[in-house]
Amino acid sequence: MTLRLSRSLSALTLLLSTLATPVVFAHAHLQHQYPAADAAVDAAPQALTLNFSEGIEPRFSGVTVTDDKQQPVALGAVKRNEKDPTQMIVPMAAPLTPGNYKVDWHVVSVDGHKTGGSYRFSVK
């Protein structure tokens, strides 16, 4: 009887730990951004704003922007919004000229997981 109870408790513990595991392995996913993906904006943005599904570590996160000739665009230092740990702000060092741009980003979430991706936008 004791052996049966022990096995049942072990099975229950395994089941519960399996159900809780996805929360532990969460990653910061890009939820929305400005300029938006595939957007054509009239005015060049002064900064990129990227919003993630969880808090990020700005010291281990970054963004590169390239123009349609694949030349890098000068950017300021990546910052995290002081009031919102899920928002990354990347100031432009100089105004963007009309054209197409690609944004490559990578972040490390507060739980230590790294994610990355890219999107495009254009300035009219």
Side-chain angles (χ1 to χ4, degrees), residues 8 13 19 28 42 61 65 73 89 108:
S8 294
T13 302
L19 294 174
D42 292 325
S61 303
V65 177
V73 172
I89 301 168
V108 173

Side-chain angles (χ1 to χ4, degrees), residues 19-97:
L19 294 174
T21 301
V23 174
V24 174
F25 293 111
H27 292 56
H29 298 285
L30 184 62
Q31 292 188 315
H32 52 90
Q33 64 280 340
Y34 177 80
D38 301 320
V41 296
D42 292 325
Q46 293 182 344
L48 301 176
T49 305
L50 289 79
N51 294 285
F52 295 91
S53 57
E54 63 182 76
I56 60 157
E57 293 290 347
R59 293 184 315 243
F60 305 110
S61 303
V63 171
T64 58
V65 177
T66 51
D67 63 18
D68 49 5
K69 296 175 187 165
Q70 299 176 349
Q71 296 299 308
V73 172
L75 303 172
V78 171
K79 301 174 195 172
R80 183 173 65 184
N81 183 331
E82 293 176 13
K83 296 179 181 179
D84 183 357
T86 67
Q87 186 176 74
M88 179 166 53
I89 301 168
V90 186
M92 297 291 167
L96 295 177
T97 59

Side-chain angles (χ1 to χ4, degrees), residues 30 102-107 115-119:
L30 184 62
K102 181 181 178 190
V103 177
D104 289 297
W105 59 269
H106 67 274
V107 295
T115 56
S118 64
Y119 69 94

